[in-house]
């Protein structure tokens, strides 16, 4: 698992949008609103970052 920091994540709606988009991309993830992180399990990290970018979130390792 790799942890991505997503500082713009502020609410449960953000969590739901991220979770749904990752599921659609077939990327396993755990979203932690309090920590503002998304843990992803994928060999193509650029895909996970692209999903977050498409949603308007700036993801950082």
């Amino acid at each position: 698992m790799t942890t991505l920091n997503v500082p713009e994540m502020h609410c449960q709606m953000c969590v739901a949008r991220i979770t749904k988009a990752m599921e659609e991309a077939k990327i396993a993830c755990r979203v932690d609103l309090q920590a503002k992180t998304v843990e992803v399990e994928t060999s193509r990290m650029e895909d996970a970052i692209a999903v977050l970018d498409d949603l308007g979130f700036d993801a950082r390792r």
Side-chain angles (χ1 to χ4, degrees):
M1 289 276 227
T2 300
T3 301
L4 299 172
N5 294 309
V6 186
E8 298 91 6
M9 183 172 36
H10 297 292
C11 64
Q12 286 294 20
M13 186 67 101
C14 295
V15 172
R17 289 178 57 221
I18 291 169
T19 302
K20 181 179 179 190
M22 290 291 185
E23 285 174 359
E24 289 173 355
K26 307 231 185 303
I27 299 172
C29 76
R30 277 188 289 222
V31 182
D32 184 337
L33 179 59
Q34 259 189 321
K36 296 184 185 281
T37 60
V38 178
E39 289 183 357
V40 293
E41 189 172 327
T42 183
S43 60
R44 298 181 326 248
M45 190 53 56
E46 64 275 2
D47 292 347
I49 292 171
V51 167
L52 292 167
D53 187 52
D54 287 347
L55 293 172
F57 295 105
D58 180 30
R60 300 178 214 135
R61 286 187 182 185

